[in-house]
Amino acid sequence: MNDTQGHAPPVVRLPAGRLRGEIDGGLAVFKGVPYAAPPVGDLRWRAARPHPGWDGTRDATAYGPSSPQMFMEGGDPVLGGHGFPPFDDDCLTLNVWTPAVDDARRPVLVWIHGGGFVSGSGTLPIYSGETFARDGDLVVVTLNYRVGPLGYLSFDDDDDEDEAGEEHPANIWLTDQLAALRWVRDNIAHFGGDPEAITVAGQSGGAMSTAALAGHPEAQTLFRRAILQSPPFGLHIPTRDDYRRRVSAYLECAGVKTVDELRQLPWPQLVEAAGGLFAHTMRWGYWPTPFLPVRDDVTLFRHPMEALLHGAAADLDVLIGWTREEANFGFALDRGYATATREQVLGRIAESFGEGAAADVYAEYARSRPGAQPVDVLMDLITDELFRIPCVKLAEGRAALGRPVWAYQFDFPTPAHGGRLAAAHCLELPFVFANFDKWSHAPLVEGIDPAVGEGLARTMHQAWIAFARTGDPNHADMAAWDPYRSDTRTTMRFDSVTLPVDDLAGHARRLHQRALAPK
């Protein structure tokens, strides 16, 4: 046992070797801990493999490098950046925050970052486990995994097999996350955590990852609760055959013909080629996703949303939600979309609802938002298709099965950029983590009244802690939050005043039932 109030650095002895961390803010923190072998050289685009271990005592006081990804000097106008140097192929590390290195068997929260499958890192200050570990007496783990071309490409001429001798998986990123969860299960007791009380949480692409992990055959042995923040369940998940065209397009962008040639390229060239794939796959009115999970029938057997309705995943406790204006994150500041015409938006609606229904659907959306411009209708359509409606369908499916699920909608708007972002994708993150001090670089939070923001942050943060500890998000400082059921459809509305609302997404749910009708 180590005294986290003292000055001696905490040391743990793992099967792989000894680790020396540091005391920071009264917590024992271990950074840059390898959970799998470095995926370099011939191990590029191969499933994560066990780390061989190390001799002596390994220093764990500095973060490991993030997965190679695009980087914009000066940041972006919403998040101010979502991945920062250093980047390196050798990126499979994780970080642990714990109140004490003891045998207390605390509940464990594993956070999987999002980033559209192309960006993000478990080392970002905004995802620091400090607040959850301190405020909830939890052990918190964040991780780096391969993103972009290094994590979301696979090749038919790669004859590698996984440990079970099965076909090579298409989802390299998922093998990383599985390896990290196995590491947590096998090692977290050394950090004061309970391997039988693990919650996996993620936002956006990280929420999609969480659902995909739940659908893996090992799910029942790896975790028992899932928090899904803004999962883009509306994405089409291609089969391996469908995805081959995208892989071929990437090879063309990279200027090579084979995976062996690709393995010789330095990672900056791989990231540069990803920019070409963005252009190749972009469609007007759709969220850009050059890389996608693949239903390979090795690691992923069905759409991640459907995974949570089957097998061991159906028994997990699930908390799921979305923000009211998800799509504003990617489109509201784009001048090309700001000047969208009614005819353009009608054409986009027709792709989902059919030509005959497009005008009525447009009118329904416009009525729900007084003074709506064409871009507002488009934002609501994209939000519904990609996030809100699929999340509601999952809640409906689990309710019909009698499985536990709590639903929320985040409604609090940011005043940033003249209010154009509203309650955009990612805005709930500083409230969930209760760490506005880590978001000073992000335009997204500019202008938020500290008193209102901190009050809502306390409410959400404590709900997430309660769920990780008990499987129920209720706590004393919030109105009663009932599970989502078929008769009530209770959804917690997080805003300056937080209250449960029955069938909060009812208008969108009924409207999108038309999309299922024959066109």
Side-chain angles (χ1 to χ4, degrees), residues 468-484:
R469 294 193 64 85
T470 68
D472 184 328
N474 282 284
H475 60 88
D477 297 325
M478 180 179 68
W481 184 356
D482 293 331
Y484 191 100

Side-chain angles (χ1 to χ4, degrees), residues 275-347:
L277 193 61
F278 261 103
H280 179 82
T281 58
M282 196 169 291
R283 296 171 61 197
W284 193 88
Y286 293 86
W287 202 290
T289 50
F291 301 100
L292 288 166
V294 177
R295 187 169 63 78
D296 60 356
D297 295 326
V298 177
T299 53
L300 192 59
F301 299 86
R302 49 172 58 93
H303 195 294
M305 180 183 74
E306 297 174 359
L308 287 157
L309 301 174
H310 298 273
D315 293 325
L316 296 174
D317 299 322
V318 174
L319 190 158
I320 187 170
W322 56 90
T323 71
R324 189 178 60 200
E325 286 96 7
E326 296 271 10
N328 289 30
F329 174 95
F331 300 91
L333 304 183
D334 187 317
R335 293 181 180 178
Y337 284 98
T339 58
T341 66
R342 184 175 185 275
E343 288 68 30
Q344 283 178 300
V345 177
L346 282 169

Side-chain angles (χ1 to χ4, degrees), residues 125-151:
I126 60 174
Y127 300 140
S128 168
E130 172 190 358
T131 53
F132 277 111
R134 183 189 64 229
D135 302 336
D137 194 31
L138 302 173
V139 178
V140 183
V141 179
T142 67
L143 57 125
N144 292 343
Y145 59 95
R146 285 172 280 184
V147 300
L150 288 165

Side-chain angles (χ1 to χ4, degrees), residues 312-452:
D315 293 325
L316 296 174
D317 299 322
V318 174
L319 190 158
I320 187 170
W322 56 90
T323 71
R324 189 178 60 200
E325 286 96 7
E326 296 271 10
N328 289 30
F329 174 95
F331 300 91
L333 304 183
D334 187 317
R335 293 181 180 178
Y337 284 98
T339 58
T341 66
R342 184 175 185 275
E343 288 68 30
Q344 283 178 300
V345 177
L346 282 169
R348 172 63 177 82
I349 293 173
E351 293 177 20
S352 298
F353 289 83
E355 293 284 352
D360 287 344
V361 172
Y362 186 102
E364 283 287 337
Y365 271 118
R367 274 196 290 271
S368 70
R369 189 184 292 271
Q373 299 299 307
V375 65
D376 299 317
V377 173
L378 180 63
M379 294 302 94
D380 286 346
L381 174 72
I382 296 171
T383 293
D384 281 347
E385 286 189 344
L386 191 54
F387 299 99
R388 181 161 34 225
I389 295 305
C391 285
V392 169
K393 285 181 179 178
L394 175 61
E396 294 272 319
R398 288 184 65 90
L401 292 172
R403 304 299 188 181
V405 57
W406 280 263
Y408 74 88
Q409 178 172 294
F410 183 85
D411 278 26
F412 185 82
T414 176
H417 293 288
R420 283 181 289 164
L421 292 173
H425 191 64
C426 292
L427 184 57
E428 88 285 4
L429 286 167
F431 295 87
V432 166
F433 278 83
N435 64 351
F436 277 93
D437 58 314
K438 307 293 187 185
W439 287 77
S440 59
H441 68 290
L444 181 69
V445 302
E446 288 178 1
I448 292 177
D449 183 326
V452 176

Side-chain angles (χ1 to χ4, degrees), residues 251-268:
L251 288 172
E252 185 175 341
C253 292
V256 300
K257 296 185 182 300
T258 69
V259 63
D260 288 334
E261 292 179 72
L262 207 58
R263 281 201 175 96
Q264 305 308 312
L265 298 182
W267 66 256

Side-chain angles (χ1 to χ4, degrees), residues 175-233:
T175 72
D176 294 348
Q177 295 171 5
L178 283 165
L181 283 186
R182 292 181 190 121
W183 186 97
V184 172
R185 177 194 61 198
D186 296 340
N187 293 280
I188 206 65
H190 295 285
F191 298 86
D194 183 354
E196 296 181 2
I198 296 172
T199 298
V200 178
Q203 184 264 350
S204 192
M208 183 75 92
S209 294
T210 301
L213 288 163
H216 193 272
E218 289 185 59
Q220 201 166 27
T221 66
L222 293 176
F223 61 108
R224 60 190 296 184
R225 300 183 182 111
I227 299 176
L228 310 170
Q229 298 173 213
S230 302
F233 283 154

